[in-house]
mmCIF file of all heavy atoms in Angstrom:
data_model
loop_
_atom_site.group_PDB
_atom_site.id
_atom_site.type_symbol
_atom_site.label_atom_id
_atom_site.label_comp_id
_atom_site.label_asym_id
_atom_site.label_seq_id
_atom_site.Cartn_x
_atom_site.Cartn_y
_atom_site.Cartn_z
ATOM 1 N N VAL M 231 14.375 19.266 -24.381
ATOM 2 C CA VAL M 231 15.626 19.414 -25.120
ATOM 3 C C VAL M 231 16.201 20.815 -24.971
ATOM 4 O O VAL M 231 17.402 21.013 -24.826
ATOM 5 C CB VAL M 231 15.399 19.077 -26.614
ATOM 6 C CG1 VAL M 231 16.649 19.381 -27.421
ATOM 7 C CG2 VAL M 231 15.027 17.617 -26.768
ATOM 8 N N THR M 258 25.026 37.799 2.312
ATOM 9 C CA THR M 258 26.476 37.763 2.120
ATOM 10 C C THR M 258 26.810 36.956 0.875
ATOM 11 O O THR M 258 26.942 35.724 0.943
ATOM 12 C CB THR M 258 27.162 37.151 3.346
ATOM 13 O OG1 THR M 258 26.591 35.855 3.587
ATOM 14 C CG2 THR M 258 26.943 38.008 4.574
ATOM 15 N N LYS M 282 22.192 37.151 -3.796
ATOM 16 C CA LYS M 282 21.177 37.205 -2.748
ATOM 17 C C LYS M 282 21.562 36.393 -1.519
ATOM 18 O O LYS M 282 20.747 36.185 -0.621
ATOM 19 C CB LYS M 282 19.837 36.695 -3.288
ATOM 20 C CG LYS M 282 19.216 37.588 -4.343
ATOM 21 C CD LYS M 282 17.825 37.084 -4.733
ATOM 22 C CE LYS M 282 17.164 38.015 -5.729
ATOM 23 N NZ LYS M 282 15.794 37.541 -6.090
ATOM 24 N N ILE M 426 15.383 -6.675 3.689
ATOM 25 C CA ILE M 426 15.320 -5.491 4.550
ATOM 26 C C ILE M 426 16.706 -4.951 4.862
ATOM 27 O O ILE M 426 16.886 -3.749 5.091
ATOM 28 C CB ILE M 426 14.536 -5.831 5.840
ATOM 29 C CG1 ILE M 426 14.240 -4.559 6.625
ATOM 30 C CG2 ILE M 426 15.285 -6.835 6.699
ATOM 31 C CD1 ILE M 426 13.319 -4.764 7.799
ATOM 32 N N GLY M 448 -3.155 5.876 -5.796
ATOM 33 C CA GLY M 448 -2.824 5.692 -4.395
ATOM 34 C C GLY M 448 -1.502 6.333 -4.030
ATOM 35 O O GLY M 448 -1.275 7.515 -4.231
ATOM 36 N N PHE M 563 21.059 -4.449 -9.558
ATOM 37 C CA PHE M 563 20.408 -5.693 -9.950
ATOM 38 C C PHE M 563 19.894 -6.380 -8.690
ATOM 39 O O PHE M 563 20.634 -6.551 -7.724
ATOM 40 C CB PHE M 563 21.382 -6.625 -10.679
ATOM 41 C CG PHE M 563 20.822 -7.994 -10.955
ATOM 42 C CD1 PHE M 563 19.938 -8.196 -12.007
ATOM 43 C CD2 PHE M 563 21.154 -9.072 -10.155
ATOM 44 C CE1 PHE M 563 19.412 -9.451 -12.257
ATOM 45 C CE2 PHE M 563 20.633 -10.335 -10.391
ATOM 46 C CZ PHE M 563 19.755 -10.521 -11.454
ATOM 47 N N LEU M 602 24.757 20.076 -13.779
ATOM 48 C CA LEU M 602 25.527 21.043 -14.555
ATOM 49 C C LEU M 602 25.919 22.251 -13.716
ATOM 50 O O LEU M 602 26.953 22.875 -13.953
ATOM 51 C CB LEU M 602 24.717 21.495 -15.770
ATOM 52 C CG LEU M 602 24.391 20.405 -16.803
ATOM 53 C CD1 LEU M 602 23.601 20.999 -17.949
ATOM 54 C CD2 LEU M 602 25.655 19.748 -17.321
ATOM 55 N N VAL M 612 16.753 3.933 -17.039
ATOM 56 C CA VAL M 612 16.152 2.824 -17.777
ATOM 57 C C VAL M 612 16.174 1.598 -16.869
ATOM 58 O O VAL M 612 17.212 1.256 -16.293
ATOM 59 C CB VAL M 612 16.911 2.514 -19.089
ATOM 60 C CG1 VAL M 612 16.260 1.335 -19.807
ATOM 61 C CG2 VAL M 612 16.937 3.737 -19.999
ATOM 62 N N SER M 960 1.623 7.738 15.516
ATOM 63 C CA SER M 960 0.605 8.267 14.606
ATOM 64 C C SER M 960 -0.760 7.706 14.975
ATOM 65 O O SER M 960 -0.876 6.604 15.526
ATOM 66 C CB SER M 960 0.933 7.909 13.151
ATOM 67 O OG SER M 960 0.753 6.529 12.901
ATOM 68 N N MET M 1087 37.654 -1.956 14.701
ATOM 69 C CA MET M 1087 37.304 -2.989 13.727
ATOM 70 C C MET M 1087 35.792 -3.076 13.494
ATOM 71 O O MET M 1087 35.341 -3.365 12.396
ATOM 72 C CB MET M 1087 37.819 -4.350 14.190
ATOM 73 C CG MET M 1087 39.317 -4.514 14.131
ATOM 74 S SD MET M 1087 39.788 -6.187 14.626
ATOM 75 C CE MET M 1087 38.883 -7.178 13.433
#
Side-chain angles (χ1 to χ4, degrees):
V231 173
T258 55
K282 293 185 177 181
I426 190 172
F563 173 78
L602 296 181
V612 179
S960 71
M1087 289 183 58

